Amino acid sequence: MFLAIKEIKREKLRYGLIILMIFLISYLIFVLSSLAVGLASENTQALKSWDAQKVVLNKNANVSMSQSVLTKSDLAKTTLTKNEALVGQIPVVVKKSGRPQISAQFIGVKKNQFIYDDQELIAGRKAKKNYEVTVDQAFKTKGYQLGDRLELNGSSKKYRIVGFVQNAKINIAPIVYGTLQSWKKLRQGLPTLRASAIISRDHNYKYNHKDSKTYPIAQFIKKLPGYTAQNMTFELMIGFLYVISLIIIAVFLYILTMQKMHNYAVMRAQGIPSSTLVKATISQALILVLVGLVIGLVAMAVTVKVLPAAVPISFTPDIILSGTLGLLLTAIIGSLIPIRSILKVDPAQAIGE
């Protein structure tokens, strides 16, 4: 450790550039990881707030709630407990004079069922009548206010905002909560139409009848449009960054080791064991990565503070821990590559040169 610190202090510019590279890589890893988690959260935010474990959909709906239709006959043999709730989903375009147009998801719910009861209000109250709605807080940040009357999909009847709700997004779109009756009018379906889905908080719940089929929530989430592709893209990018950081650390340390072979030979001739030189190399890599990581964490914390609320970024302790451990492991692996050259150095030959 002493040798590592001594050399870093002596070659400030050289090692400063390495720290700069590690800082940029760590910062990019933290940004991409936070965006990946933030976007994934906005896909499943509502489902998590409902504590959904199982979803009953029309078996021909391709595991999509917005495409699913459950009729009276589909639900003929179901028994709903306090852990089940009927929901209706339909995409809507929300319009209001003087306000920005917003693409959202209308979720029709039934009073006294758990999804209605568990809405996390941040202002106003829950919808009690057919043409009252509660909306996600994203509407509030866009300038919408309590009492605003909304036009949904060009509807002639206006829907009045009576409350704002947090954690109400699905598939990235903000949710407009209303009644099941309102959903039926927007859906303009069959007279026997009852819901899009049954949401259950019970791990063991299962209902398969006629055209209905029960799916685990994990399978439902994977089928959300773009969810799997989005996560795989971010994972691939983050993986490449780790590989790049490994290559950078290994190449820099290898070049530095080759430049110092004469010095290593002298130290070996003076009786300094190889283990000390190996420890110094590994310590040097860890110090460089730790300094770059600390700067990256500070920069990321500042970034999260200054970014607008509309940016779906989630800088969590899990991201900090995984990013830190990943880069430290990368540093250790990268530092092992030049060690073979250190162990093979011939003191007599190097001094003779």
Side-chain angles (χ1 to χ4, degrees):
M1 182 70 77
F2 173 77
L3 288 174
I5 295 174
K6 196 79 173 174
E7 187 173 358
I8 291 171
K9 285 182 177 179
R10 188 167 61 87
E11 299 285 351
K12 294 183 179 66
L13 178 60
R14 178 183 295 176
Y15 289 105
L17 291 173
I18 300 175
I19 289 172
L20 176 62
M21 293 295 296
I22 294 169
F23 152 65
L24 292 173
I25 290 172
S26 65
Y27 178 70
L28 193 53
I29 286 173
F30 289 137
V31 169
L32 288 176
S33 300
S34 299
L35 283 172
V37 172
L39 286 169
S41 173
E42 290 205 341
N43 271 292
T44 60
Q45 205 174 74
L47 297 170
K48 289 179 179 178
S49 71
W50 301 343
D51 191 25
Q53 302 300 324
K54 294 291 183 70
V55 182
V56 179
L57 302 169
N58 186 295
K59 67 182 181 182
N60 299 313
N62 195 28
V63 201
S64 171
M65 192 157 67
S66 61
Q67 297 179 35
S68 175
V69 171
L70 297 179
T71 63
K72 184 177 179 179
S73 61
D74 293 329
L75 304 177
K77 293 187 178 181
T78 185
T79 301
L80 301 182
T81 70
K82 64 179 181 179
N83 289 318
E84 283 79 53
L86 294 172
V87 298
Q89 179 183 1
I90 184 172
V92 293
V93 176
V94 180
K95 297 179 182 178
K96 167 73 171 75
S97 178
R99 305 277 191 269
Q101 183 173 293
I102 298 178
S103 295
Q105 293 287 338
F106 186 93
I107 299 291
V109 295
K110 199 170 182 179
K111 285 178 64 177
N112 302 322
Q113 291 185 340
F114 74 87
I115 293 179
Y116 177 87
D117 293 336
D118 293 348
Q119 289 182 41
E120 300 178 44
L121 290 170
I122 58 173
R125 60 173 176 81
K126 297 173 186 176
K128 297 178 181 178
K129 300 177 182 178
N130 283 339
Y131 292 100
E132 292 180 343
V133 293
T134 55
V135 297
D136 180 64
Q137 59 192 355
F139 281 84
K140 194 177 182 69
T141 62
K142 295 284 188 180
Y144 285 79
Q145 300 175 359
L146 292 174
D148 281 355
R149 295 187 175 276
L150 313 177
E151 184 180 313
L152 305 181
N153 288 350
S155 59
S156 57
K157 188 73 175 179
K158 300 293 180 68
Y159 295 77
R160 185 164 66 93
I161 296 177
V162 296
F164 289 100
V165 187
Q166 64 179 354
N167 299 326
K169 288 188 179 69
I170 187 167
N171 206 199
I172 305 179
I175 286 175
V176 176
Y177 281 114
T179 64
L180 268 175
Q181 194 62 34
S182 295
W183 168 77
K184 290 176 186 177
K185 291 180 180 179
L186 289 168
R187 191 71 171 73
Q188 297 178 350
L190 301 171
T192 57
L193 191 62
R194 288 295 178 267
S196 294
I198 301 172
I199 304 295
S200 178
R201 298 186 293 189
D202 184 354
H203 290 271
N204 300 316
Y205 183 79
K206 189 172 183 180
Y207 177 73
N208 296 325
H209 175 65
K210 297 196 71 171
D211 291 330
S212 317
K213 187 174 180 181
T214 304
Y215 300 93
I217 195 63
Q219 183 179 352
F220 175 77
I221 289 173
K222 286 181 180 179
K223 281 288 189 174
L224 289 172
Y227 180 82
T228 301
Q230 169 193 292
N231 285 350
M232 288 182 65
T233 300
F234 276 110
E235 288 168 4
L236 188 63
M237 292 170 68
I238 293 166
F240 272 125
L241 285 174
Y242 279 119
V243 173
I244 291 168
S245 65
L246 171 63
I247 293 171
I248 288 174
I249 292 169
V251 168
F252 270 105
L253 288 177
Y254 183 79
I255 293 172
L256 293 173
T257 300
M258 292 299 101
Q259 292 175 345
K260 295 183 293 184
M261 290 302 291
H262 183 79
N263 296 334
Y264 286 142
V266 172
M267 285 189 278
R268 287 286 301 278
Q270 291 174 341
I272 297 175
S274 299
S275 60
T276 301
L277 302 179
V278 170
K279 289 176 183 176
T281 302
I282 295 174
S283 299
Q284 194 175 73
L286 290 175
I287 291 168
L288 294 173
V289 170
L290 276 172
V291 174
L293 268 169
V294 170
I295 300 172
L297 286 168
V298 172
M300 187 62 200
V302 173
T303 301
V304 171
K305 291 289 185 184
V306 300
L307 281 175
V311 178
I313 195 163
S314 179
F315 189 45
T316 64
D318 288 343
I319 291 174
I320 296 172
L321 182 62
S322 61
T324 301
L325 292 177
L327 282 171
L328 288 176
L329 180 62
T330 299
I332 293 172
I333 295 172
S335 66
L336 295 176
I337 294 175
I339 284 175
R340 185 169 175 270
S341 300
I342 296 173
L343 296 175
K344 291 180 65 177
V345 66
D346 183 355
Q349 183 181 357
I351 293 172
E353 291 173 357

